[in-house]
């Protein structure tokens, strides 16, 4: 079956070991002669579809960018580095290059941070807080003096504490770090969002069925447009949060995660 982003998790193939049977439910009422779709995963982004399956469903609006932690932020200290390594950030460097960016990791990282149109998710904010925390901040959060990369259980508890912003000054540094990364990422593309959208519209509006090259180009453009929409939206949300902090917003009231666990806008 072909994938449809309009199919939800109901249309994912499931195997029940105790019954030794697989089940797949329709997400809509099909009429005779209609093509039947399933879902390869309701959380897949256009980039995921392109890389894993070689196409992008035009209906997919799950715009997000997954970022390697070392690309976003360098740990402020060896203690912060050990904490992040315990969480799966293998190869995290505690040194930045001359431009202030994190150095390249020495080993593959198991963690991916998420930026979307709704802003950075809670896990991303907590990760950046951990990376930018000083030794005293980490000790207050529960990261013991002799804790190291193997103390994964303790690291998870510490990140639970760091899930909440501690101060306006700290959160301003966290959000500024994310905004700087997003601006740099957008500037690194060889074309703009508007250019890609115009080219995609031109290809999609061409008469007749697209040739193989045109079809492939459309898939790539859909993924690129999705990534850029995620970054542009993220930048707007983070900028709004920074403005609220500058305007005197209490840091404890900055975020509203009531509607989504993946992100949210400031109140």
């Amino acid at each position: 079956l072909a994938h449809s982003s309009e199919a939800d998790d109901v249309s994912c193939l499931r195997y029940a070991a105790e019954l030794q049977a697989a089940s797949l439910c329709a997400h809509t009422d099909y009429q005779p002669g209609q093509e039947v779709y399933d879902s390869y995963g309701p959380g897949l982004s256009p980039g995921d579809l392109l890389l894993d399956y070689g196409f992008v469903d035009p209906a997919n609006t799950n715009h997000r960018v997954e970022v390697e932690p070392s690309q976003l932020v360098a740990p402020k200290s060896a203690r912060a580095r050990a904490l992040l390594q315990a969480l799966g950030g293998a190869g995290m460097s505690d040194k930045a290059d001359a431009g202030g960016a994190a150095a390249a990791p020495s080993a593959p990282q198991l963690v991916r941070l998420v930026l979307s149109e709704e802003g950075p998710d809670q896990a991303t904010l907590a990760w950046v807080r951990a990376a930018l925390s000083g030794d005293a901040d980490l000790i207050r959060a529960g990261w013991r003096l002799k804790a190291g990369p193997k103390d994964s259980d303790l690291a998870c508890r510490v990140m639970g504490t760091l899930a909440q912003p501690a101060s306006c000054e700290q959160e301003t540094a966290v959000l500024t770090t994310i905004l700087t990364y997003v601006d740099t990422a957008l500037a690194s593309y060889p074309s703009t969002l508007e250019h890609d959208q115009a080219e995609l519209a031109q290809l999609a509006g061409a008469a007749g069925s697209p040739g193989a090259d045109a079809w492939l180009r459309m898939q790539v453009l859909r993924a690129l447009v999705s990534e850029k929409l995620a970054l542009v939206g993220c930048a707007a949300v983070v900028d709004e949060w920074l403005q609220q902090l500058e305007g005197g917003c209490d840091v404890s009231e900055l975020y509203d995660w009531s509607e989504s666990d993946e992100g949210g806008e400031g109140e």
Side-chain angles (χ1 to χ4, degrees), residues 20-33:
Q20 295 187 340
S23 64
L24 180 65
C25 300
H27 73 286
T28 188
D29 293 329
Y30 288 101
Q31 299 302 316

Side-chain angles (χ1 to χ4, degrees), residues 186-234:
L186 284 169
S188 69
Y189 287 99
S191 60
T192 64
L193 170 61
E194 294 74 18
H195 178 277
D196 291 347
Q197 289 174 320
E199 184 181 353
L200 179 58
Q202 182 180 12
L203 290 171
S209 299
D213 290 345
W215 182 89
L216 180 58
R217 179 61 179 167
M218 289 172 64
Q219 312 314 304
V220 173
L221 284 169
R222 285 171 183 152
L224 285 172
V225 166
S226 174
E227 286 186 358
K228 293 174 185 178
L229 285 172
L231 291 171
V232 169
C234 182

Side-chain angles (χ1 to χ4, degrees), residues 9-46:
D9 57 358
V10 173
S11 294
C12 291
L13 184 67
R14 286 180 170 82
Y15 178 73
E18 64 277 10
L19 299 176
Q20 295 187 340
S23 64
L24 180 65
C25 300
H27 73 286
T28 188
D29 293 329
Y30 288 101
Q31 299 302 316
Q34 282 186 302
E35 183 176 1
V36 177
Y37 295 92
D38 68 352
S39 173
Y40 296 169
L44 295 175
S45 69

Side-chain angles (χ1 to χ4, degrees), residues 69-70 75 81-93 105 107-111 127:
S70 63
R81 180 189 183 193
L83 169 62
L84 298 179
Q85 286 179 325
L87 295 165
M92 286 295 295
S93 173
Q109 297 183 59
L110 305 178
V111 176
W127 186 280

